[in-house]
Amino acid sequence: MAQLALSAARRWAQMPLPLRIAVIYLIARLVTTGFLLFAASASTSLSRFGADAGLADFVLGWDAQWYWLVAESGYPSTLELTDAGTVVENQWAFMPVFAYAAKAIGFLFGSWGVGAFLLSFVAGYLACLALHRLLRDRIGSSAALWAVVFFAAGPLAAMFQVGYAETLFLLLLFLALDAVIRRRYAWLYLLLPIMAFTRPGILAFALLLGLHGIARWMNRRREPLTAVEIVHIVATAALATVAGFSWQVIAGLVTGDMGAYLATELAWRQHWISGGVAGFVPFEGWIQASQFWFAQWGIPAWCGPIGLVVIVVATGLALLRSPQVRALGLDLRLWSASYLLYLLAVFFPQSSTFRLLLPISPLWGAVAVPRSRLWRLSVLALCLVGQGVWIYFVYALGNTFWQVP
């Protein structure tokens, strides 16, 4: 038996890396499919998917419907209003790249849903390859492979199999981060505009490039910084900034209302805040949400902002001090900090919070650094438990706004 195990381990080590990652990815997708099938069998008439739910319903469920609507109908030139005069939810909250790419792929099969599934599925595998490449030079190939395992089988793994833009954005993000780390800045001129119109978050990358440029300047004696590199860093940071605000401008020009995009995003927040939302104020969402959730949990609302401060400080200390996180290198830590600050500035934490944390997936590398097999298997077990619970909650039981994935 020991000899067979040794032989199997040797054959596994000799397999080409893309094939090993493909095996890991396919096994993870089979597990996710099992969870989705269970959720379909457990779905009742009380769920938005009904008692006869199937996998296709989940692929097209929740926000995937909005991407489908973008592909079929485009974007409205007139914003519909509620009786109270506020903007209702509409397609402007969803970027066009995934919607139309899925439509192009789905054209070959006569179904947008098939195109969306294939795009998410294939982009997810390529994102696994990109994540390994991103991490291997910092934490070693073995730990990077475990990070891929956690990523592919994590609590939000259903995103690899439904019509959401997440996996495509993650692929582009990992490639862009790799370009920054390897100082191949020219690739960013291609990647950043596509990222900007795939999913919100490009402004966090602009912040990363600014911090990266400062770090390169401060360390220029240890790592020479050429004039060409300075130009690339400044130009790509400017490109990311312009691209990050361009969707707001486009929405404003099409609708005739320069506040159309922000009003659309705030439309989703109306469900959570009694009395409505007057307008967008940076960082206000988390303060409001901390008070809301603490009250929901039976804790005095005034404790919410205090708890928020504790979480922010603890996260900052982890990024600064944790040896496992520091092993990832400065640029990945700067990205994590930039993206979390971006979320803190613009987001209202609710049921989609976990999904919106996917762009900090490189931090799976920090989780994979400890070499203990017991640790790694325990993390994997927790990933699978979290995945099963999450899928059951948002698909088998999902029927209201606070269960949106």
Side-chain angles (χ1 to χ4, degrees):
M1 185 65 69
Q3 188 65 29
L4 287 175
L6 183 61
S7 178
R10 187 179 298 113
R11 287 198 299 271
W12 171 257
Q14 291 173 347
M15 289 172 59
L17 179 65
L19 182 56
R20 277 186 283 164
I21 292 178
V23 170
I24 291 169
Y25 186 70
L26 290 175
I27 291 174
R29 300 287 60 76
L30 288 173
V31 172
T32 299
T33 300
F35 284 134
L36 289 171
L37 287 172
F38 176 78
S41 68
S43 181
T44 69
S45 59
L46 298 177
S47 166
R48 70 183 285 125
F49 298 101
D52 57 347
L55 293 180
D57 299 305
F58 294 159
V59 171
L60 296 171
W62 293 115
D63 285 359
Q65 296 177 353
W66 287 106
Y67 287 111
W68 171 81
L69 190 59
V70 168
E72 294 299 316
S73 305
Y75 294 91
S77 57
T78 301
L79 299 179
E80 184 180 349
L81 303 179
T82 67
D83 293 337
T86 59
V87 173
V88 303
E89 298 95 333
N90 63 80
Q91 298 97 296
W92 284 109
F94 301 89
M95 306 300 185
V97 169
F98 179 85
Y100 289 114
K103 184 176 183 178
I105 297 170
F107 177 79
L108 302 174
F109 302 92
S111 168
W112 183 88
V114 172
F117 167 78
L118 290 175
L119 181 55
S120 291
F121 188 90
V122 174
Y125 167 66
L126 296 176
C128 288
L129 291 176
L131 180 61
H132 188 276
R133 174 182 168 86
L134 188 63
L135 296 174
R136 68 188 182 197
D137 292 342
R138 274 147 288 282
I139 61 175
S141 183
S142 177
L145 197 60
W146 272 102
V148 168
V149 171
F150 301 149
F151 173 63
L156 277 293
M159 290 295 104
F160 293 105
Q161 297 176 220
V162 296
Y164 274 62
E166 259 61 27
T167 55
L168 179 59
F169 182 83
L170 290 174
L171 170 60
L172 296 167
L173 170 64
F174 295 163
L175 292 175
L177 288 172
D178 190 68
V180 171
I181 289 171
R182 298 177 188 276
R183 312 315 190 218
R184 296 174 180 174
Y185 302 110
W187 283 103
L188 297 178
Y189 296 103
L190 171 64
L191 293 168
L192 295 183
I194 304 175
M195 287 173 60
F197 293 98
T198 299
R199 180 189 175 280
I202 192 66
L203 289 176
F205 207 92
L207 176 58
L208 162 69
L209 287 168
L211 296 174
H212 170 80
I214 294 171
R216 287 291 314 270
W217 177 261
M218 294 177 65
N219 295 322
R220 65 189 183 278
R221 291 184 178 179
R222 285 183 294 174
E223 181 188 1
L225 178 63
T226 67
V228 172
E229 287 180 323
I230 293 174
V231 170
H232 278 316
I233 293 170
V234 172
T236 53
L239 174 63
T241 302
V242 171
F245 286 106
S246 63
W247 190 243
Q248 296 183 40
V249 175
I250 293 171
L253 292 175
V254 173
T255 62
D257 178 2
M258 294 310 294
Y261 175 72
L262 287 179
T264 297
E265 288 289 357
L266 291 175
W268 268 266
R269 195 178 298 186
Q270 304 282 355
H271 296 297
W272 300 88
I273 301 298
S274 60
V277 180
F280 172 73
V281 178
F283 302 102
E284 182 182 48
W286 280 84
I287 297 173
Q288 291 177 329
S290 66
Q291 296 170 323
F292 170 84
W293 285 113
F294 271 57
Q296 291 293 310
W297 298 331
I299 305 173
W302 59 266
C303 294
I306 297 174
L308 177 61
V309 170
V310 171
I311 292 173
V312 170
V313 171
T315 302
L317 288 175
L319 292 174
L320 286 171
R321 300 294 185 183
S322 169
Q324 291 81 16
V325 177
R326 290 173 65 89
L328 302 180
L330 179 61
D331 288 316
L332 291 183
R333 292 159 61 210
L334 289 177
W335 161 250
S336 299
S338 298
Y339 184 75
L340 290 173
L341 182 61
Y342 165 79
L343 283 188
L344 192 65
V346 306
F347 184 56
F348 180 92
Q350 28 85 1
S351 60
S352 298
T353 300
F354 296 110
R355 175 173 59 85
L356 295 184
L357 289 175
L358 280 173
I360 60 170
S361 289
L363 291 180
W364 280 121
V367 180
V369 165
R371 295 185 178 183
S372 167
R373 180 167 297 181
L374 176 61
W375 165 260
R376 288 170 170 173
L377 292 176
S378 297
V379 171
L380 177 58
L382 289 174
C383 285
L384 295 175
V385 170
Q387 183 183 160
V389 170
W390 188 82
I391 288 174
Y392 183 75
F393 180 75
V394 302
Y395 288 110
L397 303 181
N399 64 357
T400 186
F401 67 90
W402 53 271
Q403 292 172 304
V404 178

